[in-house]
Amino acid sequence: MTKGGPGGRTARRGEGSAPERVLIAASFVNRVGNGLFNAASALYFTLVVGLPAAQVGAALTIAGLTGLLAGIPGGHLADRRGARTVMVCALMIQAVSMAALVLVDGWLALTAVATVDQLAAAVGGAAWGALVARVGGERPARFRARLRTFVNLGVILGTVGAGLAVAAGTRGAYVALILGNAASFLLCAALLLLLPAYPVLAAPPRRRRWTALSDRPFLAFTALFGAMGLQYPVVSLLLPIWISQHTEAPRWTVAAVFAVNAAFCVLLQTRIGSRVETPGDGGRALRTAGLLFLVSCPVMALAAHTPVWAAAGLVVAAVFVHSLGEVFESSGGFALGFGLAPDDAQGQYQGLLGLGFSAGQALAPALLTTVVLGLGTAGWLLLAVFFAVLGAAGPPLARWGARTRPLPGGAAEDVAV
């Protein structure tokens, strides 16, 4: 986020519209490909390749955990060598590794190819964060909100395509999904070449090389954001199991849950996210998200104790509230994640944030299925309080971050609650 005088800022905002459109288009293409692959990958490896589900899970777990190691170094490389260059290289590697999956015929091959893919994905994710910071400029909230709207839309469209392939059930259909995802990486890389070659920002003298790892407020935010990220598997994993095993709601309610969640996130992200600009705004958005989750989780639990149609209505209403919380949570994460990071080290900081978020997502299935499902209604109430406490920590964390670094526009006013 390059600083400058008023005239320079106005010029940059006018010139920034084209790069914003390019990055939105590139991200949309990439997420359509991700949606194609992610929704059907497990079925391909088990039904087509013929690997046992346990072996597939083990291979993907090993790859995912190994990939976590590359985020921070990859982000630092993006800061020092240019985010666009690093991201394009990562996308090219992912295109090759994704295409190689059609040749996989055993566990070792799957583990090796998936590990290369996850290493490149972690590097690319950190570089993407640094690139978003440069393209977004000094008032990036609306851009990031629009970007996430199109990202969500891309995943939805890709998932629809995956559903068609799954319905066909042939090897050719699954291979088309994989090669389609590989092509999306290549197209995304080609689009990124249309972006300006942003100059590397010089780091201040005497700064530690791995400054993100010694930034205690940002480390605390990383932990909080990773823990609050448990709200994503609530809709994608926990609630479908709860609906099918513990409520009288019709089974089509599971599909309605995903439709409501996707629709409201797409419709509301820009409207709400564009208003969450500063770290102070981000802290308050996290608090709001925690309160919304405090409402949605008990309503989800209540669905297990009501008749069939009441249960369906409660689930849909709960998902609406939860989706609203998701929009506030993601918007707050953007504002704090980018706002607390130094301009010249955005890649390294986004790499750290990605590591924390990915670690939380890796732990989420075990935690949610054992604790919440194991305790039933009490587990949902515990989860609601957990999210509310995390959200309440947002404003004081924003104030702590403001005290440890200069913020534009007056830090004291920014973090007032």
Side-chain angles (χ1 to χ4, degrees), residues 19 22-27 30 83-89 91 124 127-128 131 135 185-198:
V22 169
L23 191 55
I24 287 173
S27 299
N30 184 238
R84 188 188 70 166
T85 299
V86 171
M87 189 172 178
V88 167
C89 291
L91 288 167
W128 179 86
L131 202 54
V135 172
F185 289 124
L186 293 177
L187 181 55
C188 181
L191 288 170
L192 291 181
L193 293 177
L194 300 177
L195 290 174
Y198 294 102

Side-chain angles (χ1 to χ4, degrees), residues 106-142:
W107 181 79
L108 286 177
L110 174 59
T111 303
V113 174
T115 298
V116 171
D117 177 74
Q118 288 301 304
L119 287 169
V123 172
W128 179 86
L131 202 54
V132 169
R134 296 302 294 272
V135 172
E138 291 187 359
R139 295 179 60 85
R142 182 171 181 82

Side-chain angles (χ1 to χ4, degrees), residues 35-52:
L36 286 173
F37 177 72
N38 292 340
S41 59
L43 293 177
Y44 171 75
F45 295 126
T46 54
L47 299 181
V48 178
V49 179
L51 293 175

Side-chain angles (χ1 to χ4, degrees), residues 363-402:
L363 294 173
L367 288 174
L368 293 177
T369 55
T370 56
V371 176
V372 179
L373 291 182
L375 294 176
T377 299
W380 281 104
L381 298 178
L382 182 63
L383 186 64
V385 173
F386 174 74
F387 284 137
V389 170
L390 289 175
L397 193 151
R399 290 194 295 269
W400 183 21

